[in-house]
Each structure stands twice: as structure tokens, then as C-alpha cells.
Amino acid sequence: MDFQVVVMAGGYSKNLVPLVSQEMPKPLLPVANRPVLSYVLELLEASNLKDLIVVVEGEDVALRVGGWISGAYVDRLHVEVAAVPEEVGTAGALRAVAHHLTAKDILVVSGDLVSDVPPGAVAATHRRLDAAVTALLCITPVSGPSESVSSVGKDKGRKLPRANIVGLDHTRQYLLHVAAGAEVGKDIKIQKSILRANDQMEIRADLMDAHMYAFQRTILQEVLDQKEMFHSIKHDVFPYLVRTQLRSEISDKGAPKNGLNGVDYTLNGSEPASEILTNRTHKCCAYIANKSKYCSRLNSVQAFCDINRDVVGEAGHLSGYSFSAQNNIVHPSAELGSKTTVGPQCMLDEGSKLGDKCSVKRSVIGRHCRIGSNVKIFNSVVMNHVTIEDGCFIQGSVICNNAQLQERVVLKDCQVGAGYVLTVGSEYKSEPLSKK
Amino acid sequence: MDSRRLPRTVIDPKVRLVGFFTSGDPPPARFNPNTADATAATAAAISSSSQNSDINLTGNSLSPVMIPPLRRMSPRRCDEMQMPIGSYNPSESLLGTSPSRRGINGPDFSEVATSAWLGISGSMKAAASFPGSSGEMMMVGKNGGNALVKNMDTTELAAKTVPGVTEKDGGTLTDMKNEGAGTVRHQKQMTTRAERRAIQEAQRASKAAAMMDEKDGGTRTDIKNEGAGTVRHQKQTTTKAERRAIQEAQRASKAVTMMDGKGGKSIASTGGGAPSISNQEKVLKQSQKKDGPQETGATSEKKVSRNPDKDRKKDIPQPRMQFDDKNRVEKAKRRAVVNQFEARNRVELFRHLPQYEHGPQLPYLESKFFHLDNIHPSVYKVGLKYLSGTITGGNARCQEMLLAFREAIIDYSTPPEKVLVRDLTSKIGSYVSFLIECRPLSVSMGNAIRFLKNRVAKLHHNVSESEAKSRLISDVDRFINEKIIVADQIIVQHAVTKIRDGDVLLIYGYSTVVEMILLHAHEQGKQFRVMVVDSRPKLEGKILLRKLVMKGLSCTYTHINAISYVMHEVKCVFLGASAILSNGTVFSRVGTACIAMVAHAFRVPVLICCEAYKFHERVQLDSICSNELGNPDVISNVPGKEDVNHLANWADHKNLQLLNLFYDATPSDYVSMIVTEHGMVPPTSVPVIVREYGKDQFIF
């Protein structure tokens, strides 16, 4: 279909600081005990997209990611892992792989996307509307994670993500305005020319940019070449294209001209009324995913917890595991002590051992963890090879690989970095804990 | 413009509620029994369901929505009719063609003229009878081969002489005759095709005849015809049992004819019919299950007479998929790329047309984007646009499709061990079937595809791939240029001459060529006013209105409900068309027929502006058998008016069916003139254009 896919896998993300480490870069962070990147790759694979370019920040990360991909997808996908220097941004990363891009359109997908929105839908919308860029927009869940979580009190300190402002035309196909949440002050400025050209604009704050873009290659490359300052696709390239849709300096030579022998076809019989008036140089479109689709990005610690919970919970079909009758996933090799309960929407992976009288609710526990007796784990993510001794109480926390929790540790909303050791009886609340 | 035709009374509107075509309505007194019967007899044998319909109209004005009701004829006429029909001997079947010859040579011409002039349908009848009779001859030809050849020669002669007359006379009649003769000539060129068509026509006639009385002579001849048809097609039949049954039928009929010779025509006919009935009893049961309510009233005899063509549907490649045929629908579904869900609560009369739930189609196809590897991206894109309704209008759709095919041809490379001609043809075929799934093809697209496939097939084997591709690309370019762009320009030039200062022009919907005409006339400085008539749910007129107003034309905008009021001051009506069929029927956006009829009633000339590549040799009598169904939701919802959405959950009501038709058929009576790139012609001249220019168009 003349599409090429670039997956922006990222590297060490600053937002996820206690979670990511040398051994555990962002693309490999486990979501339901599978690297987050695998969700994107499998989504693409399900859409019959098998030739991928995965762009990773940093050489060593690239090695790790490449190793993992070649192991996991050896005969399923044809993946090219490209390493780019850190801090070049997504735009820089695209520049770095520009020489690989030959197809008519490019699909740029963020590697931290966990979604079941078919990429084909975005691509098809892109093609159908002859767009220069098409973005996948998802409806932001209004109350965040489910209510039972907030009743635990986990969401109290959480800042509401600042809303993205998106302006759409009345057909909800064309993007007229975008402003990232962080840039929005008290007022938003909308270009008069765009507003005038469209008669009306629908401003929405409930849409989230899922970082899946379909670009026309020629336009994308021209922007990247012309604007060397552009750092990020989301913050620079995409808003630029939307802003300049009426008066871009980008010549539209990428679009195939229909004229033959100087005869210019007028196919305007079919165009909707708004289009007759707007003399767009290029079109910026949006594909708004259906509400029933799951779509989320792992770009913060909070998102990491939410996604983990959702993937074993309400968006269970994404995890690829089959749920038991109790609506949880317990690996057959996991050992449970007496009177230990594993509630619904939980996951317990292979080789993990739980002592007696433990209680696990809405949590994900990785491989080969050793958990003592009388341990309560609620709403938490425990990665691989973690040791938790007797009497610990863990709520809303993330415990990374090889961490050790000694007896009677109480954690609430904490992130424990890899290999960190918590001493006997310590109590923490809302703190990132990691080796300095 | 009006002087072109004989003055005719305006037809009682009761008779033609739904786009029924051919009026005719000849008063019975003028019905000359001799000539009319001679023509009618041959016509009844084969095609000319038009004739049936107008006889219905004269006889009884039943509900016009239904298929033509019972036909009543006096027994005397039945007897008369038998004479030319029963004798399937070539010397007598010459009779069918003889009037035309006589007409050309001698003073009898005027007489034929009058016979053909019995209302418009009279001329139609005469015209229809000619191909009919020749088709009959083709079938008879099995028995007497050389006689057939002789026959063909005579008709050929007629064909050669008639065009000259056309030039001199310029009348409709000669045009029509010309058509008849021309079809014969055409048939001579490709006999196999002619055969096929003759049989198809026979089938069509028999379908119409199925509604007639059993005693009627027409039915009997039909059955006979069936016999002939099945005989011819026995090679193609598939199952053993069927084949045997048909063989038996053939044997029986042969035996009977041999026994009785000339005298036992009627027995022969029944003999031919009876076995075919016997072998179709299974089908009968099926058909009873399937057939819609319009048939439940029919007697069993009618069913029997209808059955043969049901059976032969299997033999003859069906022109169109009938969506009330469950087996076929199932089969098609398995093949389909687009997963479509049949709409609920469909209108019974339109069950044979595809109608799908409009909600899930687009998302489904979009999510499949990367799975459809065998479809070229540009074709896919066009398909999406059809499905989403971004591209509408015959010209735009055709043009986009051709451009997509052009792209596909550019990117095409012959796979190893395959021949370009065959592989590319099948590729185009798969593209076309994909496009059909997105939206049924229009006539214009069908013609364009036919053209392209023809060009591919005509490529010589030793032409190199790049050469072949460049030839095809230039062919596509030329088609677009000549048939659409330049054609539009010429149409504009022709039509503008009909606009004078102070005129009030009425237009309906949105036709690109009409828009061009108006803008061109405006640029020439003509002072005129435009009535833009529009209709729900598409409200295409608004777009046109906007464009016209922006250009400074003075316009009036109204909806079709007000048509009878605004028609008072209208000087001329300009309409576009989706297709024009060879009986002059204009197939266009639903509502066009209404406009044309009102205009006719007010004696306002109706000009149809249509490129000649949208002409089709098919004949269609109503807008039922071939149409397109749109999303029924759009007619139940009134955007912006929440208080009138009474039909919000209409799908839950079992006894409510919504009908959103796309097209209707305007009978040629209501059309004063058709403006094409070949000039301004009366609707009766459409077959001439189809024949004379259609040939060039597809063969070059």
C-alpha cells in the first residue's frame, strides 16, 4: 500500500526515571510482563505491516532493543533497528532515518503506544482525504482509571494532565488547530484565516494525541529539511503543518498532479462545500478513534501503572493472555501458599512464589519473584526477580527488577528502582526510591 | 422544439406514479390491427416489453408500481398473431424485416411510417421488432443455416440503405428503423454476441410475458422461445440432470415438429414448453420461497411460464446480481473484500438491489487497509472515496476511477510466466470488483471499464511491456480527454445557444455540465435567471447554488415540493443525467423524472445534458429493476431539527421500511432534447449514437 512505518521507540525517558535503567530502557519496560514495544509491533503485525524501522535513542539501547526484537520476532517481522544519538528528538530521529524512506506515505508510531486502534484506519483516512498529515486522536478517559482506584486514594496527588486543545472542522475530519497542553495558557489563539476559511470550528479538549501520524513523505521531508530547529514531531512539525495549512511554503509537489498535457481536471463536483472555499495548500486530518477502542501512551509513571492495570483488566484483549475463570492470569508454575488469594485483574507470571496468607489485588507480578507470608499487594506492579519479605504492605507502587523489600516495609505510591534494597520496617509514601 | 413531435395528450398522472417509461398510450381506435399485429407479434416473441407495458396502460390503469399486470387481447388477434410466430421457417420470418425494405424502396413507406407512428410507443414497437425478428432468425438458424444467411443479407441490405434515408428525412421514424437495421448489422459482425443478446432479449420478453394470460399468443411463443434458448445453451449447463432434462425437451419438441410440420405450430410450441416445465419444477419450489410479494398474487400457470427463464439464469451470464437470491449473495459474500452487513427492514420491491448497513462499512474497510495487498493503493483510495461519498457524480467517479487505473497501469509489471494481456485484464477485473463492493458502478464507469478492457485485449502479443503500458496510459488519457473534458466543452457550446436573454432556467440537483453551461452563458453576458431546485437528503443544489451566486448569477432556490409553482415562469429546464438508455429513458438523480414530468405538463422544454459515453444500449422501463439504494438513515434524520426526528429508531419497527433511492428513470416522452457532444438530438436518436459512436468508442 506504499506505506513505510517508523516506530519511535525512544531511549531512557526522563519522565520514567526510577523505572528505567541501563538494563531496562523505556521500550523494554514490561506491561503485563511484556515489553511495551511489543504492543506496537504486534499491532502493526496484525495490520500486515511487517517491514518496520524502529528508531532507538542511544547505541546501547539500540543493541538491547535489537537483540530483543530479533529474538522475539525472528521470522515474523522484518525490523530494522536504527540508533540515533540521544536528545535529537523525534524530528531529529526522523531526519536520521530519512534516507531509508522511499514510500509515498510514512506512518510514524510512537513506541510507547498501547492501543488496539488499527493503524490501517489512520492510513486509510490519510489516503482518502489526500492529507499531508493525519493524526490519530483518542478520547481521553474522563476520570482516568476506574473508580475503585481513586477510592483507594491513589489519585489524590495526581495532577490532571493538561488538556490538548484540538480544533476540528464540522465534519470532524480536518484539523484546524492544535495546541499541546503545556503550551496552553489562559487563552488560546486561533488563526483568523483558518477560522474564516471554515466558517466554524469545533474546539475540543477531550482528545489526546496518540502519536500515530501518517505523513506524506515529500512534505515531511521538506519540513524536516527546511526547519532544522524542529526538535519534536508533536511539538514542532505537526503544529507547524496545521498552522500553515492555508499558506505553506511547502510546495505540494508530492501530491500527484492529475493534469495531463496541461489539462487541469476539475473534479470539484464532488467536493464538500467547505472545500470549495478553502484553498488549502495541504490538508491536515485527524482520525478520531472510536470510544470503544483502547488507546494509551506510556509516557509517565502514572501511565505505566494505569496501562499495566488496564492491560490485565479492562483492555485484557491486548495482553494476549487468556484469563482464568477468576479473571486473572496465574502462570501454572507460580506457587501460592495456603490462604493466599489472587484477586481478579491480576497477573502472576512464571516461577513466582507467594507465601501464606498473602493478598494480591489488581497487580502485576513478574517472573521469579519471591514473596513471603502475609504480604498485601494492591494496585501495584512488581517486576522480575523481586524479593518481598514477610509482612510487607504495598499499594499503588512500582517495584523494579531485583529490588528487595525486607520485612514489614510499607509502601504507598512509591517507585522502587532496580536493585534497590528497602530495610526492615521502613515506610515510604509517594516517593521515587532508587540508587543514587 | 415541440414541433418535433406530434402533439400528444398529457398522460394521466395516475398511470405513471413511479418512473415508468414509455408512454405511448395510443388510443385504441388508431391501433391498426394489421400492421400493429405484425410488428407486435414479432416484438412479443422477443423483446419489446415496452409494448406490453403500453398495452397495459391502454387496457387498465392498475397500480403502476407493480410489474405490468394482465394483458387482455381479443382472441381474434391471438389467432392473427400466431401466424408469423408459429412458423419458424425462415422465409416467413423474413416478414419481420420486410416492412423496412418495403418502406425504403416503394410507396409503402408512408404506411409503415404511420404504423410506426402509433404514438411514440408505436415507433418503439417497430424499432424493437427488428432486432427481435433478427434475433429470432438466429435461433431458427440452427435448423436452416443457409436460409439464415440469406436473411442476414436482406437485413443487411436494409441496413445499408436506411442511413441515406435518415439523412434526407431526418425523422424519428427513420432513425428508429435505422436502429433496427443497425442492430442487425451489428449482429452480423459478431454472431455469438448477437445470439447471446437475442436470447437475453427473449428472456426479458418472457419475463414480461409471464405476467400475461396463458391464452395469450405471446406467452406461447415465449415458451417456444424458451425451448430454442435451452437448446442453444445445453452445452453450458452444468449438472447432469439438467442436461438430460433439456435433451429430452429438445427431443420431444423435435419429434413434435417433425410429425406435424407446419400445421402443428401450436402443439410444437407447447411440446417445447412442457418438458422445460417438468424439469423446472424444483426451481418452481425455490422460486416460490424466494419470490417477493409482487408474485404471490400470480397464478401457478404464470409461474410455470416464468420458470424457464429462472432456470436459464444459470446458463446465461447474468447481467446483474440479484440480491434477493440468497445463494448468490452468500457466494458473493465469501468473495467479498468489504465485509458488508445487509440492512434490515428493506423495501420488498427493491430486495434485488444491494443494501447494506452504512455504519460499519467504512471503518471496516479502513482497518483492512494494509491487508489488501492485491489492490493498488490508488484504486483503494478511490474505493474509499466512493464508499465515504467523497466522490459522487458520474463524471467525477469515472474520471477518478480511470486515473486510479492509470496509476495502477504505470506501476504494473507483468509477473514472470504470465502474459500481460491476461494478467492485466484479471487485475483490472479484481479492481473493478473491489470498486463495485464500495459502490455499484454507474453506466459511465461501466462503459469506461469496457473501453479499457477492450484496449487491453486488443494489445498485440509481441508488443513490449513498456510499449503496451504507454499505449494504455495514452488510451486512458484520451478517453478522459475526449469523452469527458472535450465532450463537456462541446455540450456547453451547444447548450448555451438555447439560453437567451431574459430566460428563466430551471435546474435540479447538481450536474457539473449544467453548471458549466450556466457559467459559460453568464460569461457571455447573457441575462437570465436560474431556479435551483433541490431535494433532500443530499441537498446537492446548495453547493451549486453557492457557486452560481458567487459568480454573480441571479438565482432562486427552492425544494422540489414547490416545483409546480415555480414551473409557471420557467422557460427551459436543464438537467444532467447519470445514463441515457437506448429507448431514450434518462437515468438520473431521483427527482429528475418528477421535474421532467411537471415541465412537460407545463409545456416547458426539458434539455438533458449528457456526454455520449454515458449512453447505454440497454433498455430499461422502470427505475425498479436497476437502481441504487442509499443509506435509509439519512432520509429519516433531519439535520439540525431534533424535534422532527420521529423515526429515530426506525430499524426497530418491523412494519416500517425506509426507501432511499438514488436514481429514477425519466421516460423519453418528457425529454425534449438531449444535448451531447454529437449535437442536440431527440431522445429517439439515442440508439443511433450508441450504435454509430459507441462502436468507435470501444474499438477505435
Side-chain angles (χ1 to χ4, degrees), chain B residues 296-502:
Chain B
T296 49
T299 64
S300 62
E301 285 149 19
K302 278 173 211 156
K303 271 197 181 135
V304 168
S305 62
R306 188 203 173 92
N307 274 328
D309 60 49
K310 265 262 171 186
D311 184 57
R312 267 194 301 109
K313 264 181 194 166
K314 286 172 198 155
D315 308 339
I316 300 169
Q318 237 187 343
R320 202 184 312 274
M321 168 116 169
Q322 299 292 306
F323 282 79
D324 47 356
D325 188 341
K326 284 202 183 90
N327 293 337
R328 279 176 175 280
V329 170
E330 280 302 312
K331 251 183 235 164
K333 238 184 205 165
R334 258 175 269 142
R335 255 180 294 137
V337 178
V338 188
N339 191 5
Q340 293 176 318
F341 306 95
E342 291 270 316
R344 291 177 290 169
N345 294 12
R346 296 189 297 168
V347 178
E348 215 38 77
L349 191 57
F350 291 90
R351 277 295 273 276
H352 59 286
L353 300 173
Q355 186 174 15
Y356 302 114
E357 293 279 356
H358 282 252
Q361 272 176 304
L362 187 61
Y364 182 83
L365 187 60
E366 287 195 331
S367 65
K368 278 279 187 194
F369 185 74
F370 292 111
H371 292 276
L372 303 168
D373 281 334
N374 55 343
I375 290 166
H376 192 269
S378 56
V379 176
Y380 184 90
K381 184 165 125 186
V382 171
L384 275 181
K385 287 184 174 178
Y386 289 163
L387 192 60
S388 62
T390 325
I391 304 178
T392 53
N395 281 351
R397 278 170 71 195
C398 186
Q399 218 168 346
E400 284 279 303
M401 181 191 71
L402 284 173
L403 289 174
F405 286 167
R406 186 175 179 270
E407 295 261 310
I409 290 171
I410 290 173
D411 292 348
Y412 175 81
S413 64
T414 321
E417 297 177 18
K418 285 202 175 166
V419 186
L420 178 130
V421 174
R422 288 195 194 156
D423 190 52
L424 190 57
T425 311
S426 69
K427 267 248 158 72
I428 292 173
S430 72
Y431 296 159
V432 169
S433 59
F434 169 74
L435 292 181
I436 291 175
E437 283 172 35
C438 294
R439 195 183 156 183
L441 295 184
S442 65
V443 167
S444 58
M445 289 160 74
N447 280 343
I449 291 165
R450 203 150 56 125
F451 162 77
L452 184 61
K453 282 194 170 172
N454 212 322
R455 298 306 298 169
V456 174
K458 285 269 186 301
L459 286 173
H460 206 270
H461 282 290
N462 48 22
V463 174
S464 72
E465 188 184 305
S466 59
E467 168 76 17
K469 276 164 67 175
S470 66
R471 273 193 206 174
L472 288 175
I473 289 162
S474 74
D475 281 336
V476 171
D477 290 351
R478 202 175 47 178
F479 188 93
I480 295 174
N481 204 15
E482 285 180 7
K483 302 289 172 196
I484 304 175
I485 295 170
V486 175
D488 276 346
Q489 289 164 358
I490 298 171
I491 289 173
V492 167
Q493 279 164 15
H494 282 306
V496 159
T497 60
K498 294 291 166 200
I499 301 178
R500 274 165 299 186
D501 281 348

Side-chain angles (χ1 to χ4, degrees), chain B residues 471-678:
Chain B
R471 273 193 206 174
L472 288 175
I473 289 162
S474 74
D475 281 336
V476 171
D477 290 351
R478 202 175 47 178
F479 188 93
I480 295 174
N481 204 15
E482 285 180 7
K483 302 289 172 196
I484 304 175
I485 295 170
V486 175
D488 276 346
Q489 289 164 358
I490 298 171
I491 289 173
V492 167
Q493 279 164 15
H494 282 306
V496 159
T497 60
K498 294 291 166 200
I499 301 178
R500 274 165 299 186
D501 281 348
D503 275 359
V504 179
L505 311 175
L506 186 139
I507 57 172
Y508 175 68
Y510 184 7
S511 160
T512 39
V513 65
V514 169
E515 181 204 356
M516 285 161 73
I517 291 166
L518 296 177
L519 293 181
H520 189 72
H522 182 70
E523 278 164 22
Q524 287 188 346
K526 294 189 175 176
Q527 298 296 318
F528 57 95
R529 220 149 55 76
V530 183
M531 292 266 184
V532 181
V533 180
D534 207 352
S535 69
R536 286 201 59 231
K538 288 214 161 193
L539 297 177
E540 291 163 313
K542 276 190 181 175
I543 305 167
L544 178 55
L545 182 73
R546 191 166 197 164
K547 287 188 179 179
L548 295 180
V549 170
M550 277 168 61
K551 293 274 180 182
L553 280 83
S554 85
C555 298
T556 309
Y557 179 77
T558 180
H559 274 208
I560 195 165
N561 337 15
I563 183 70
S564 63
Y565 172 75
V566 296
M567 197 56 90
H568 283 287
E569 49 176 325
V570 171
K571 199 75 180 293
C572 186
V573 176
F574 281 90
L575 298 172
S578 168
I580 297 182
L581 310 176
S582 69
N583 57 351
T585 303
V586 175
F587 204 62
S588 188
R589 166 76 58 231
V590 67
T592 306
C594 171
I595 303 272
M597 285 177 200
V598 175
H600 183 265
F602 282 86
R603 305 210 174 265
V604 175
V606 177
L607 269 71
I608 305 283
C609 308
C610 182
E611 301 84 0
Y613 84 108
K614 291 179 181 172
F615 287 18
H616 200 270
E617 60 186 359
R618 194 171 69 203
V619 170
Q620 200 172 320
L621 307 177
D622 54 40
S623 47
I624 298 169
C625 63
S626 147
N627 209 320
E628 205 179 321
L629 297 177
N631 186 359
D633 290 330
V634 296
I635 54 169
S636 64
N637 297 333
V638 184
K641 280 218 142 196
E642 294 301 320
D643 51 325
V644 290
N645 284 344
H646 306 298
L647 302 174
N649 296 316
W650 65 274
D652 301 337
H653 296 283
K654 269 215 181 90
N655 47 1
L656 171 67
Q657 294 141 3
L658 299 185
L659 179 64
N660 181 11
L661 277 181
F662 271 17
Y663 299 105
D664 65 8
T666 309
S668 58
D669 287 7
Y670 303 120
V671 179
S672 317
M673 187 86 91
I674 293 171
V675 187
T676 75
E677 66 260 39
H678 304 303

Side-chain angles (χ1 to χ4, degrees), chain A residues 129-141:
Chain A
L129 300 171
D130 276 325
V133 58
T134 305
L136 169 64
L137 300 180
C138 303
I139 295 182
T140 330

